[in-house]
Amino acid sequence: MKSFGLILWAWIILMLPTQSWAVNVNAVRVSDTAEKSRIVFELNHAVAYTIFRMHKPERVVIDMKHTRLLKSAMHAGLPSATIKRVRHGMHQGVLRVVLDLNQKNLFLRSFLLKKMQGKPDRLVIDLLRKKATDEINVVNKHQHQLVIAVDAGHGGQDPGAIGPHGLQEKKVTLAIAKKLVAMINQQKGVRAILTRKNDYFVGLKKRVRLARQAHADMMISIHADAVKTRNVKGSSVYTLAERGATADKVAIALAAKENAADEMGGIQHQHDEVEDPMLRNILGDMAKRDSLNSSQILAENIIESLKTIGNVKYSVPKRARFVVLGALEIPSVLVEVDFISNPRQERKLRTASYQRKLARAIFQGSQHFLQRMGMMVKTHDKKAS
Ligand SMILES: [Zn+2]
């Protein structure tokens, strides 16, 4: 690693004239708050990146594919409370940025923000100080253990949709959820919780509350879809639509149907009650957008993974105002695994093998998301994501 910088500088000189670049880093900004140091890379385009930590000395390494860092970009705000300096180098079109840290016990988190509201595409890396990570880990004995809340739709007096041969959605969702939880819990550093463990009723807001109480880093709600037209099949993935977002009739109808689950359990709430007024005080718009953006990326990763096992009805995530996705600070998605209203799919949904296949696809999508967000450290020779 010591001679690394030199070698990479040599590479820059050799490679610059011939290399074609997909992404420019136009600016690098470092800022400190009481709980974290944040480094933001402003990009002209979304970037494929990987991130990992190295020790002795403490550092964070970020590799960005087909990217170059413009000379004018360096380095507002340095040195910061946690970042001593930022080094960078090039190798075969990969920009490697090394953050030299002046302390251990920092919790690493990273995510991409899409271009919006006049701001460019950004890669954001947060180094959270110990106190902030203590709060994150308050329920986890294991430090930095990630928590995934798995939500089996419906239950108890609310059967959900019912297939032409009588299969109840609540049974399918619980079976898949349990398989998914088992897969997650085999993974080191990640722990799953179920918002419902058996065939009983749980209100939608309680599900959100349970995810929050567990300090979930991600929430996956599992459902099965139903329509009148019998031959419709395939899975789809939903995220929460922001208030006043573009109307998608199918998505709105589906959200209304899934939100009606509470009425089955005798819980009444007003229409469009997703937004938690308390939360608005805790979280700034920025944090909310971060999470909505992460939800979108999580949804995309799960769709990509579902594609590998067969039918995906919509190849991009759709949005609607689902009450169960109301934890705005947690990346949350709702997966409609297939159409229980299709007799063929109903038969498949009954089988443990198809349930396992779906669970596996959702699991892999979620793991890919964690790696992409830098929340789960991957081995060093990774493929770009
Ligand atoms: Zn449902």
Side-chain angles (χ1 to χ4, degrees), residues 4-202:
F4 187 69
L6 259 177
I7 294 166
L8 290 186
W9 276 111
W11 267 106
I12 295 181
I13 292 153
L14 288 171
M15 296 301 288
L16 264 180
T18 52
Q19 186 75 42
S20 68
W21 310 97
V23 184
N24 288 337
V25 177
N26 291 319
V28 182
R29 290 184 283 110
V30 182
S31 59
D32 283 321
T33 61
E35 73 272 11
K36 65 173 183 285
S37 293
R38 167 169 284 189
I39 180 162
V40 179
F41 297 89
E42 292 189 357
L43 312 163
N44 66 337
H45 204 278
V47 72
Y49 77 101
T50 51
I51 186 165
F52 52 92
R53 300 182 71 144
M54 296 184 87
H55 307 285
K56 290 182 189 172
E58 288 299 315
R59 55 206 193 276
V60 171
V61 181
I62 309 127
D63 286 340
M64 297 182 235
K65 270 208 142 184
H66 305 301
T67 302
R68 69 172 167 177
L69 195 141
L70 298 188
K71 268 220 176 92
S72 53
M74 297 305 270
H75 286 133
L78 276 173
S80 83
T82 50
I83 303 167
K84 261 195 289 194
R85 56 179 181 151
V86 179
R87 294 177 284 143
H88 64 96
M90 293 294 310
H91 181 60
Q92 294 182 337
V94 175
L95 170 67
R96 170 163 288 193
V97 178
V98 180
L99 313 179
D100 289 315
L101 308 179
N102 56 21
Q103 50 182 292
K104 286 193 242 177
N105 298 329
L106 293 165
F107 181 71
L108 174 65
R109 147 179 105 179
S110 73
F111 49 90
L112 291 164
L113 287 174
K114 284 188 180 162
K115 180 160 72 185
M116 61 167 89
Q117 294 174 348
K119 290 183 173 176
D121 284 291
R122 280 147 292 161
L123 169 60
V124 180
I125 291 150
D126 284 340
L127 293 152
L128 291 108
R129 271 180 266 291
K130 191 75 170 65
K131 199 163 167 285
T133 57
D134 281 348
E135 280 156 29
I136 288 166
N137 289 308
V138 78
V139 290
N140 307 332
K141 275 194 210 137
H142 228 260
Q143 218 186 359
H144 307 323
Q145 192 178 40
L146 297 167
V147 179
I148 302 180
V150 178
D151 176 57
H154 311 279
Q157 62 264 49
D158 167 26
I162 298 173
H165 297 106
L167 181 62
Q168 296 178 318
E169 181 184 353
K170 66 174 182 180
K171 293 206 169 137
V172 176
T173 60
L174 186 64
I176 294 171
K178 283 185 168 170
K179 289 178 169 64
L180 176 57
V181 163
M183 289 168 194
I184 292 167
N185 285 341
Q186 276 178 10
Q187 196 81 346
K188 241 189 172 175
V190 195
R191 185 169 67 85
I193 62 134
L194 277 166
T195 54
R196 129 173 125 82
K197 297 189 179 86
N198 231 313
D199 185 16
Y200 51 81
F201 178 83
V202 186

Side-chain angles (χ1 to χ4, degrees), residues 148-152 180 218-222 298 302 333 335 362 366:
I148 302 180
V150 178
D151 176 57
L180 176 57
M218 180 195 301
M219 177 150 177
I220 302 171
S221 184
I222 295 170
L298 172 60
I302 291 178
V333 296
V335 183
I362 295 168
S366 70

